[in-house]
Amino acid sequence: QVQLVESGGGLVQAGGSLRLSCAASGRTFSSYAMGWFRQAPGKEREFVSAINWSGGNKYYADSLKGRFTISRDNAKNTVYLQMNSLKPEDTAVYYCAAREEGYYRGVYSIDYYYAMNLWGKGTLVTVSS
């Protein structure tokens, strides 16, 4: 089973950038879909982005398109979230998540990636105004 550890969070000024990383243990990382979710204080956890096992399909929350970019390096067992033009409302704990995708060669709709079943402990991103 894959275990997930996030890093890269911190304090940044509005307009700045951060890159989050999620390192996964386990030999089957390459067959997992990966995603990022976030939870702001007092709010429910929300979907941010996901990437399929091959990296060929990427999905984003509509409100974040153009500012956030997800990528993965299967050789390094790592998924990344590049966050640009950060806003105070991006302040949240960011969670890495995964689900087994089994080298599926089709294309799932975005809601498939809402249902992850493996989670990291999160990394805090704070954007100051």
Side-chain angles (χ1 to χ4, degrees):
Q1 184 166 317
V2 172
Q3 294 183 323
L4 308 172
V5 178
E6 303 95 335
S7 62
L11 175 64
V12 63
Q13 288 188 332
S17 298
L18 280 176
R19 188 177 79 157
L20 305 183
S21 299
C22 174
S25 63
R27 292 177 289 179
T28 58
F29 171 80
S30 61
S31 68
Y32 278 72
M34 303 297 297
W36 290 95
F37 292 71
R38 68 184 185 183
Q39 187 167 19
K43 296 188 177 181
E44 294 187 353
R45 187 169 60 194
E46 64 176 350
F47 172 82
V48 172
S49 182
I51 188 168
N52 79 322
W53 66 272
S54 69
N57 300 323
K58 302 177 183 181
Y59 307 83
Y60 299 94
D62 286 342
S63 62
L64 300 175
K65 287 179 181 177
R67 294 197 298 123
F68 288 15
T69 303
I70 193 169
S71 62
R72 68 187 295 161
D73 185 338
N74 286 346
K76 295 182 178 180
N77 281 14
T78 302
V79 63
Y80 305 97
L81 185 69
Q82 178 67 43
M83 305 185 296
N84 297 329
S85 302
L86 283 162
K87 305 174 182 180
E89 52 263 43
D90 294 318
T91 295
V93 177
Y94 284 72
Y95 295 92
C96 179
R99 67 175 295 177
E100 172 66 65
E101 199 172 21
Y103 303 111
Y104 178 66
R105 295 194 176 275
V107 178
Y108 287 116
S109 62
I110 189 172
D111 55 354
Y112 173 86
Y113 299 97
Y114 296 163
M116 300 294 192
N117 54 16
L118 296 173
W119 295 88
K121 294 183 178 181
T123 186
L124 177 62
V125 172
T126 303
V127 184
S128 63
S129 57

